[in-house]
Amino acid sequence: MNIIVSLIINTLAVLVGSYLLKGVKVADVTTAVVVAIVLGLVNSVIKPILVVLTFPITLLTLGLFLLVINALMILLTAKLVPGFRVESIWWAMGFSIVISIVGAFLGMSV
């Protein structure tokens, strides 16, 4: 049950992010669900490897390089999911911040 609630929260965060940012496009709700699933898989499989490999850079930038890693995960998801488009890495960074804030806000009420 916890996975379903998390999926719904992440889907709503993706929809809100695409609504707020003009450089991010999601075709429909089904695409948003697929984006939430793929982004979750990418973040759980590929992101930890990148975090370990880029630890020195992350340490030097006091953690700000994690924004770049998050943006790269979103761009990878955009390449994998048809109907989901992100214009640039800057839009991906903004989208990352928006979905984090929305996800945290919605997750507080659960």
Side-chain angles (χ1 to χ4, degrees):
M1 190 64 162
N2 196 15
I3 293 174
I4 295 172
V5 172
S6 177
L7 179 62
I8 292 170
I9 289 172
N10 289 335
T11 301
L12 289 174
V14 167
L15 289 171
V16 168
S18 68
Y19 177 76
L20 292 177
L21 301 172
K22 69 177 182 173
V24 179
K25 304 290 183 221
V26 176
D28 54 9
V29 176
T30 306
T31 304
V33 172
V34 174
V35 167
I37 292 170
V38 171
L39 191 58
L41 290 173
V42 165
N43 280 339
S44 64
V45 175
I46 297 173
K47 185 178 175 181
I49 297 168
L50 284 178
V51 168
V52 169
L53 291 176
T54 61
F55 181 72
I57 297 169
T58 304
L59 192 62
L60 285 174
T61 62
L62 302 174
L64 289 176
F65 192 72
L66 291 174
L67 284 172
V68 174
I69 292 174
N70 287 338
L72 291 174
M73 297 301 100
I74 290 170
L75 289 174
L76 176 61
T77 302
K79 293 287 184 191
L80 295 174
V81 178
F84 177 55
R85 193 181 80 217
V86 180
E87 296 292 325
S88 68
I89 194 163
W90 298 108
W91 287 113
M93 280 188 201
F95 185 69
S96 170
I97 292 168
V98 168
I99 63 172
S100 296
I101 291 170
V102 171
F105 179 73
L106 293 176
M108 286 187 333
S109 63
V110 174

